[in-house]
Every structure is written in structure tokens, then in C-alpha cells.
Amino acid sequence: MSVVIAETNNEIENPLWHGEVHALKKFYELAAVDRPDPKNCLFLATHEPCSLCLSAITWTGFDNFYYLFGYTDTADRFNIPHDLKILQQVFRIEGGAYARENEFWKCHDLREAAEKSGPDKRAALLERITKLESTYAELSDEYQSSKEDNEIPLS
Ligand SMILES: [Zn+2]
């Protein structure tokens, strides 16, 4: 396997460009001959995709996604409560309890997968996740401070 597209959010350009949607935009801008079938790809996201991104992943034909930080982490550790709030307010879904496996895709929590892995891999995977969390906390601080003077509606 190799990286096809690696992207980040670009909400300052357009509030719809969440990391997932921006990555999907770039993915479909690849020439068809260079673009693998989405069903042959793993879709990785740092955060559990919001309702916008869940729909975007569905509409673009991916049958899976993996995430590192679930909705509660996103709200509590990264001060981004919108995912849970939108699901509750718009869809009346409490606690982010959408269908994690459905006819379109199956999603995977990377920490849960690491914890369920064999004893020979578990410690190394969890250590790697801890390092990623530390790196991401630093990036989040930078991101939060950069949002103070923007016009993003739900920043
Ligand atoms: Zn999103």
C-alpha cells in the first residue's frame, strides 16, 4: 500500500473543506487513470468524521474509514464540540451513535483496533498512538490559536 492523497482541512478557504472533504476533492481531481478504486483504499482520518464528512465518504464510494480521535476526544481534548452537537441538533442522534457499520461502509477506531491486536503488537501500536496524540496536541494548539481571527462560521 502507498499514500494516494494526504490532506488537511482548509476551512479558511472554504468552511466545507474539512480534512476528509478536502482530501476527497483532491482524490477526485486525480486523473482517472491514476486514481485507485475507493474500495481498494483505506481512508484514514485523525478525527472521527463529522456528519458532513460521513456523507462525503459515503458519496465518494469508500467502504471504510479509520480514525484516531473519537467525537468525545474531539470535543474534550481539542475543543471542537460541533460534531456531537450537529448530530444531536440536526439528526437527533445522541452521543454520536450513528451506524458504525452499514451497507455503505464500516468504520474503525484505531485505538480500539490496537487494543484488540495480538500481544506481540499491542504495546508498540499503543506507544505509537501515544506519540501521535502528543504531536497532534501541539498541532491542535497551533490550529486553535490560528482560528481567532478568521470568519469560519463554526470555528
Ligand atoms: Zn468533517
Side-chain angles (χ1 to χ4, degrees), residues 47-148:
H47 290 75
E48 188 170 14
C50 73
S51 54
L52 167 70
C53 296
L54 292 174
S55 292
I57 290 166
T58 307
W59 279 102
T60 52
F62 285 80
D63 65 4
N64 70 81
F65 61 86
Y66 294 75
Y67 62 87
L68 185 56
F69 302 111
Y71 289 144
T72 303
D73 273 347
T74 301
D76 297 346
R77 297 171 64 180
F78 300 107
N79 194 29
I80 303 173
H82 312 306
D83 305 333
L84 287 169
K85 188 172 183 181
I86 290 170
L87 284 171
Q88 197 282 328
Q89 288 294 309
V90 177
F91 300 101
R92 301 296 183 218
I93 292 173
E94 300 294 334
Y98 63 88
R100 286 177 163 67
E101 183 170 0
N102 56 61
E103 72 177 76
F104 300 107
W105 41 254
K106 181 177 182 180
C107 75
H108 308 268
D109 178 322
L110 286 169
R111 176 175 286 283
E112 281 181 18
E115 288 170 354
K116 290 179 183 172
S117 66
D120 56 323
K121 294 181 182 174
R122 184 179 306 124
L125 290 171
L126 291 173
E127 183 180 323
R128 179 76 176 127
I129 287 172
T130 299
K131 286 181 182 174
L132 287 169
E133 288 172 338
S134 174
T135 299
Y136 206 84
E138 293 171 21
L139 293 171
S140 176
D141 290 343
E142 191 175 319
Y143 172 70
Q144 290 293 338
S145 66
S146 76
K147 291 189 346 182
E148 291 171 2

